[in-house]
Amino acid sequence: IKSALMRAQKNNKFAIKSIISTLPLFMAKFSTNSGFIHLNETQEIDQSHVDSCLKRAKNIIQTPNIMAAHILPIEYRINGELVDNPVGKKGQNLEVLCHFVFSSKSELQTLMSILKTLNLTVNGIIYGPIASVKTIFNTNELNEGAGLVDIGKHFSSQILQ
C-alpha cells in the first residue's frame, strides 16, 4: 500500500491526505434477505417506513463481529405489488428484498489501522464493483438499470443497479 501511495503522489505531484478505500474481495461476504413491516392502516409510505423495513432485513447479521458494508435494495413491494420507490405511495404492507455486502469488523479495523499509519484520513470504504458503478454511470443510467461486468485475470464480477 505504501509503495502504491508513493507512486501515486510522485505521478500526480501532490500529497494524498485522504482516501476512500475499496473493500477487498477476500474481505467481502454476500447474502440476500428481506424485511417486512405491517402498518396499522393504509397510509402513505415515508422514508421512516423504508428505513424500518431495511433495518428488519438487516437482522440477518448473526455475530457482533460482522457488519454490513453495503445494503442494496433489490426490490420493494407494497401490499404485494412491485414498486420502484415506495416513498409517497399508499399501502399497509411494505417489503424490501436486499443484497448485503458483509465484512468482518476486525478485518476492517486492520485495514483502517494500516491506512492510518500512512497518515491518511479514511473517508470511507466501498466494495470495488460498487465504486466502479458509481464512477462510471450517472444517476439516470443507474435508475434505468445499468450493469457492469468487470472481467479480470483471476476474478470477474458483475453488478446491476
Side-chain angles (χ1 to χ4, degrees), residues 27-43:
M27 288 174 60
K29 293 160 187 59
F30 309 92
S31 188
T32 303
N33 198 31
S34 60
F36 178 86
I37 61 167
H38 174 77
L39 305 172
N40 290 332
E41 59 186 40
T42 298
Q43 59 184 286

Side-chain angles (χ1 to χ4, degrees), residues 106-123:
S106 59
E107 288 176 332
L108 286 174
Q109 288 169 343
T110 300
L111 176 61
M112 296 284 284
S113 294
I114 291 168
L115 296 171
K116 286 181 181 178
T117 62
L118 299 171
N119 295 319
L120 295 170
T121 301
V122 181
N123 292 327

Side-chain angles (χ1 to χ4, degrees), residues 64-82:
N65 189 41
I66 299 295
M67 66 173 284
H70 297 286
I71 302 171
L72 307 166
I74 299 169
E75 67 180 32
Y76 292 98
R77 293 184 181 271
I78 296 177
N79 299 337
E81 290 186 38
L82 191 63

